[in-house]
Amino acid sequence: MQLTRRRFLAAPAALSAALLPTSLLAALEAETPPMADLSTWEAVRAQFALDPAWMHFASFFIASHPAPVQAAIDGYRRAIDRNPYFTVEHGMFSEGAGNLHVQAQAEIADYLGARPQDVCLTGNTTTGLALVYQGLPLQAGEEVLCTKHDHYSHHESIRLAVERAGASMRRVPLFEDAASATTDSIIDALLKGIGPKTRVVGLTWVHSSSGIRLPIREIAAALRARPGPPLLLVVDGVHGLGSTDETVATLGCDYFCAGTHKWMFAPRGTGLVWASADNWARLRPLVPSFTDFDQYQAWEKQQPPASPTTADRMSPGGFHAYEHQWAAAAAFRMHKQMGRARVAARIRELNDQCKAGLAANPKVTLHTPMSGALSAGLVSFEVDGLAPADVVRQLLARNIIASTSPYVVSYARLAPSLVNTSEEVERAVRAVREISG
Ligand SMILES: Cc1ncc(COP(=O)(O)O)c(C=O)c1O
């Protein structure tokens, strides 16, 4: 491990300057091209190298890198390959504006409405959830309450953490039928599920099973207003981030975990956790950090760090694919240039069109709420007499890429996103009509 980190050792500026050839800085900056014109959806779609032979309705699964993100990855990769030591040493451990890790935190924080120092960079949603649940100081006899609708990664993160702590987990249904759920019925079901041992509540913002978007802001307010011990709210937000016009840091949850390699179009293998300083301080870190100076200094003295846990201390250390981690900033810049409200409105427009088209088909059962306030970018449905996998297969035969939801009860999914056109949505709806007979 390289021990002369300027950020860690807080070396005087003169030393930093002496270590870092200015030509490297200039070369690194030259590798970051200006943002493309993203003023029309056609221009946005042109940023993706997607195979035009297919209609891509499963882009939420894993991102195709759009041109600005690919350019940033390529630029950082060229810089690392030219000079691995200087580029990583500077990009990770230098003081000030040239620190690319800090730059990525700042870009992400700006989009989340958060402070940069409260953004923890992870590799994906799953790692973020695991870090949070394993980090919580759960006691024997305490309970984590989650729902029957959460993803495998969420349930298993909780199970592994409670097993270790001698705590327990419980899953409650928030609805029988997502399509007819309301904000009140969801809150009611959740509040009824809370028991005397519940200390933590785990929820999913946009469900990849039914496509419902939980009203997290209203749920968080209801949890705060109830009598009894305060509960911590952990949210898997992966399918809401980049599809919804929300300020994550004021949503009301205590821990927000998301991959950024789906709706945000950040490099594959990137993600984040956001929490407030107080909530970071509750957690016990799991993996040695490479971005927390206090932890490093305490190690030098052979002591545990005396300061509270922070986002940086929770960020898993070890060297990473830095060209991907740093280029996450370009994806957040791209989203800011497109406009969060404009992106959300476009995704809603295409999903409304998709839902209206499918709902007009008597052979289709829609599982996603029609309301744009209770849904986002995913439309889940069944076709009478056909297994979800058969629906997907028959759509594939028409060059339409749909997906099935990876849950015990599975549905077919179409996810209209920024890479799609209204004409493509119409063709997908027509194709479902054809296969439903
Ligand atoms: C709701 C939900 N949570 C978590 C995940 C896992 O995401 P990641 O690959 O970022 O860990 C998925 C996968 O698509 C998901 O649908």
Side-chain angles (χ1 to χ4, degrees):
M1 185 161 106
Q2 170 57 42
L3 299 184
T4 57
R5 310 202 158 102
R6 285 181 299 284
R7 193 171 168 222
F8 271 3
L9 296 179
L15 177 57
S16 300
L19 276 176
L20 191 72
T22 45
S23 58
L24 174 76
L25 256 184
L28 205 55
E29 267 161 33
E31 293 288 13
T32 313
M35 190 58 70
D37 170 24
L38 303 172
S39 56
T40 65
W41 295 121
E42 197 180 0
V44 169
R45 284 194 303 278
Q47 305 305 312
F48 294 86
L50 289 162
D51 185 342
W54 303 91
M55 283 170 261
H56 299 268
F57 283 100
S59 294
F60 68 94
F61 185 70
I62 187 95
S64 162
H65 295 157
V69 174
Q70 192 58 52
I73 295 171
D74 292 346
Y76 290 137
R77 178 170 295 149
R78 276 193 299 272
I80 294 172
D81 286 336
R82 266 199 310 267
N83 200 331
Y85 172 78
F86 274 132
T87 306
V88 172
E89 169 74 357
H90 172 72
M92 284 306 289
F93 308 122
S94 63
E95 291 288 331
N99 185 304
L100 297 169
H101 183 95
V102 171
Q103 275 184 28
Q105 282 177 305
E107 285 288 355
I108 293 171
D110 188 41
Y111 182 89
L112 301 181
R115 302 184 320 154
Q117 62 268 41
D118 291 334
V119 175
C120 166
L121 302 187
T122 68
N124 46 51
T125 324
T126 308
T127 305
L129 289 165
L131 288 170
V132 169
Y133 284 108
Q134 293 282 349
L136 285 168
L138 290 166
Q139 304 293 316
E142 293 183 339
E143 175 188 83
V144 177
L145 184 76
C146 60
T147 80
K148 292 201 182 284
H149 321 289
D150 307 301
H151 190 263
Y152 158 85
S153 296
H154 200 164
H155 284 159
E156 283 298 278
S157 290
I158 298 173
R159 185 182 68 79
L160 294 171
V162 297
E163 267 184 14
R164 213 162 280 204
S168 60
M169 71 183 286
R170 199 156 47 86
R171 307 171 195 199
V172 291
L174 294 180
F175 40 73
E176 284 309 316
D177 168 33
S180 58
T182 65
T183 296
D184 286 347
S185 69
I186 290 167
I187 292 175
D188 199 41
L190 182 66
L191 292 181
K192 280 193 182 124
I194 294 166
K197 296 189 293 181
T198 309
R199 294 292 174 273
V200 180
V201 173
L203 296 176
T204 304
W205 193 5
V206 178
H207 292 193
S208 46
S209 47
S210 66
I212 194 171
R213 164 156 62 113
L214 293 190
I216 296 293
R217 195 173 280 285
E218 291 80 357
I219 292 174
L223 289 178
R224 276 194 304 272
R226 64 177 275 288
L231 303 171
L232 290 170
L233 176 57
V234 182
V235 169
D236 169 353
V238 67
H239 295 300
L241 187 69
S243 68
T244 305
D245 185 21
E246 259 295 1
T247 304
V248 163
T250 62
L251 206 50
C253 61
D254 294 295
Y255 300 96
F256 182 91
C257 309
T260 48
H261 48 194
K262 295 180 191 278
W263 295 88
M264 286 308 304
F265 310 136
R268 295 180 282 270
T270 59
L272 63 88
V273 182
W274 171 84
S276 69
D278 287 349
N279 283 327
W280 282 124
R282 294 176 198 276
L283 300 186
R284 289 170 309 194
L286 220 76
V287 182
S289 167
F290 271 29
T291 47
D292 178 29
F293 183 41
D294 282 0
Q295 185 177 5
Y296 178 74
Q297 277 192 316
W299 170 79
E300 285 183 311
K301 295 183 194 136
Q302 299 187 34
Q303 291 169 357
S307 57
T309 303
T310 60
D312 269 339
R313 193 168 302 161
M314 288 299 292
S315 188
F319 282 1
H320 293 287
Y322 288 121
E323 60 269 54
H324 275 216
Q325 211 172 63
W326 298 339
F332 280 80
R333 267 198 303 279
M334 180 177 171
H335 267 265
K336 279 183 268 178
Q337 178 151 333
M338 289 187 291
R340 203 174 61 189
R342 183 170 154 250
V343 165
R346 171 68 174 172
I347 291 172
R348 180 183 286 206
E349 179 192 338
L350 294 175
N351 278 267
D352 281 352
Q353 181 192 346
C354 185
K355 282 186 280 188
L358 292 178
N361 182 337
K363 300 272 181 58
V364 166
T365 305
L366 207 53
H367 291 287
T368 308
M370 290 300 283
S371 156
L374 287 179
S375 58
L378 300 167
V379 180
S380 297
F381 63 99
E382 285 177 287
V383 176
D384 283 0
L386 282 177
D390 290 331
V391 174
V392 169
R393 237 188 314 276
Q394 295 202 40
L395 288 174
L396 208 55
R398 290 161 171 81
N399 291 4
I400 295 168
I401 300 178
S403 60
T404 54
S405 51
Y407 292 83
V408 175
V409 178
S410 181
Y411 302 130
R413 294 178 299 194
L414 284 166
S417 73
L418 299 188
V419 305
N420 300 115
T421 61
S422 175
E423 293 70 36
E424 285 182 337
V425 173
E426 186 47 44
R427 283 169 69 182
V429 167
R430 215 179 312 133
V432 172
R433 203 169 298 138
E434 281 167 23
I435 67 177
S436 63

